[in-house]
Amino acid sequence: GAGVSQSPSNKVTEKGKDVELRCDPISGHTALYWYRQSLGQGLEFLIYFQGNSAPDKSGLPSDRFSAERTGGSVSTLTIQRTQQEDSAVYLCASSLGQANTEAFFGQGTRLTVV
Amino acid sequence: AQKVTQAQTEISVVEKEDVTLDCVYETRDTTYYLFWYKQPPSGELVFLIRRNSFDEQNEISGRYSWNFQKSTSSFNFTITASQVVDSAVYFCALSEGRRAGNQFYFGTGTSLTVIP
């Protein structure tokens, strides 16, 4: 596709359930990023994939959060045993992976844990 | 320590006023890149501009202009003759050149409201 695609756009889940959020980056982009944005807040970095390098997981808030990127393309962010504080918009972005290149963002997945 | 600071949390202006959004960054790299993004109420972040550390020339694009000053580590964004459609959250970001790939450091954003 032309841009970064995220699915689902909205997800409501019960506390304690696991959720998977999907990100389809722009074709050819080697770098992929996940951010979290709580209501009215800034962007909280979660994880960064760059090519075949080990991902930078330094932003994951707990071991309930994990992400993988298969074949250097699609990425899945998994949240296990969801908590109400996990409610937020989860944003995915991709870039060409060079320092001088901008990131392009998807529309985000709005996660609500009830 | 915050690598990118946007001290203005919220700004309100009346339509047609000029407004400047401040961005101060911190890095030890000599090569780095600065970005501005706009997040309208629809939620998707839209890329506005990229500057590299070797080019301090100010840039103008229509009603938008950017002032990059290495001496003060600032990359400020001015909207001239603001319009209601400019209402959004604006984020400044930094990417450091010494690292392979690029990790972005975002500021906390400035929420701009343009009142008709």
Side-chain angles (χ1 to χ4, degrees):
Chain A
V4 178
S5 178
Q6 291 187 246
S7 61
S9 53
N10 280 284
K11 175 73 176 178
V12 180
T13 190
E14 292 181 352
K15 178 181 173 181
K17 294 278 180 71
D18 298 352
V19 295
E20 285 189 351
L21 312 179
R22 176 188 168 106
C23 173
D24 208 333
I26 293 173
S27 178
H29 279 191
T30 60
L32 187 147
Y33 315 78
W34 283 98
Y35 292 88
R36 178 167 71 174
Q37 188 175 30
S38 301
L39 187 63
Q41 301 299 308
L43 297 171
E44 177 187 4
F45 165 72
L46 297 178
I47 188 168
Y48 161 48
F49 296 90
Q50 171 59 47
N52 295 321
S53 302
D56 178 352
K57 304 179 181 180
S58 59
L60 294 177
S62 78
D63 59 8
R64 297 186 296 104
F65 288 73
S66 63
E68 63 177 21
R69 189 177 184 193
T70 54
S73 181
V74 173
S75 176
T76 302
L77 176 69
T78 301
I79 308 173
Q80 296 178 309
R81 304 181 303 282
T82 52
Q83 303 294 315
Q84 288 188 328
E85 60 263 30
D86 299 334
S87 296
V89 175
Y90 289 81
L91 292 165
C92 177
S94 70
S95 80
L96 288 171
Q98 304 299 316
N100 63 344
T101 57
E102 58 272 20
F104 294 87
F105 283 80
Q107 291 271 16
T109 293
R110 182 175 297 278
L111 175 67
T112 304
V113 182
V114 297
Chain B
Q2 277 283 92
K3 285 186 177 280
V4 177
T5 301
Q6 294 180 255
Q8 304 151 307
T9 306
E10 295 181 359
I11 301 176
S12 291
V13 298
V14 176
E15 198 171 22
K16 297 184 183 176
E17 286 184 348
D18 299 347
V19 59
T20 296
L21 310 181
D22 297 334
C23 173
V24 174
Y25 62 91
E26 179 182 337
T27 181
R28 294 182 181 178
D29 284 14
T30 55
T31 301
Y32 53 90
Y33 303 87
L34 297 162
F35 306 81
W36 275 96
Y37 285 83
K38 174 182 180 180
Q39 187 178 39
S42 60
E44 184 173 354
L45 274 90
V46 177
F47 164 73
L48 295 178
I49 190 171
R50 176 187 71 239
R51 301 296 283 172
N52 72 59
S53 53
F54 298 109
D55 183 2
E56 285 192 77
Q57 207 169 26
N58 290 335
E59 183 155 340
I60 298 174
S61 176
R63 296 183 298 106
Y64 294 172
S65 62
W66 291 269
N67 185 325
F68 175 30
Q69 292 195 340
K70 291 177 76 169
S71 60
T72 55
S73 297
S74 65
F75 185 43
N76 296 338
F77 173 28
T78 297
I79 302 174
T80 303
S82 59
Q83 299 177 2
V84 173
V85 293
D86 297 327
S87 296
V89 180
Y90 291 86
F91 291 94
C92 180
L94 165 73
S95 175
E96 294 174 315
R98 63 186 165 91
R99 304 180 111 208
N102 60 332
Q103 169 62 287
F104 291 92
Y105 302 95
F106 281 87
T108 50
T110 297
S111 177
L112 173 66
T113 301
V114 181
I115 303 165

